[in-house]
Amino acid sequence: QVQLVESGGGSVQAGGSLSLSCASSGFSYSGLCMAWFRQAPGNRREGVVVSDSGGGIRFAEFVKGRFTISRDNTRNIQYLQMNNLKPEDTAMYYCAALRPGRCQLVLDYVHYWGQGTQVTVSS
């Protein structure tokens, strides 16, 4: 059974930090690109960051310099460290495993989704 379980969301004031984690099971984690997406109320779901198993990372422009990502391929966990958070970062954040051979922040490339974790940033 495929599972992606996010944790670590919460509420923080602008300028603060949060760390999200995503524990995966039921599929070949190390061979796939893993990503984070987010969706704010009334907005489309958008890609935040994608990482491949070799350490390659691509961030969306709006989080560059503020967010970092890491993954533990032995424990099948990926982490998203979010610093200098802004109110516009408020959204539900979703962990995603991409289809084999795909490594771009494209919704159609997502193979598996987590259930999401809420991040709220107040001004």
Side-chain angles (χ1 to χ4, degrees):
Q1 180 181 1
V2 171
Q3 285 190 312
L4 290 81
V5 181
E6 301 97 333
S7 59
S11 297
V12 66
Q13 290 191 323
S17 299
L18 282 173
S19 180
L20 307 183
S21 62
C22 172
S24 302
S25 61
F27 62 95
S28 178
Y29 176 89
S30 62
L32 299 180
C33 287
M34 298 295 297
W36 289 92
F37 288 78
R38 71 184 187 183
Q39 187 169 19
N43 290 1
R44 298 178 64 180
R45 193 168 296 189
E46 61 183 359
V48 177
V49 60
V50 59
S51 70
D52 63 38
S53 58
I57 299 171
R58 284 184 294 279
F59 287 97
E61 284 295 325
F62 52 80
V63 299
K64 277 186 178 178
R66 301 188 297 122
F67 291 11
T68 60
I69 188 174
S70 61
R71 54 188 287 173
D72 183 339
N73 289 333
T74 62
R75 298 174 62 202
N76 294 357
I77 300 176
Q78 68 165 343
Y79 304 93
L80 181 66
Q81 177 65 39
M82 305 183 293
N83 300 320
N84 191 21
L85 283 160
K86 304 176 180 180
E88 52 264 41
D89 293 319
T90 294
M92 186 72 80
Y93 283 71
Y94 297 90
C95 175
L98 302 188
R99 300 184 184 281
R102 300 298 188 182
C103 211
Q104 294 83 29
L105 291 171
V106 175
L107 290 175
D108 286 347
Y109 290 171
V110 175
H111 201 24
Y112 305 119
W113 288 105
Q115 83 286 353
T117 186
Q118 178 67 37
V119 170
T120 302
V121 185
S122 58
S123 58

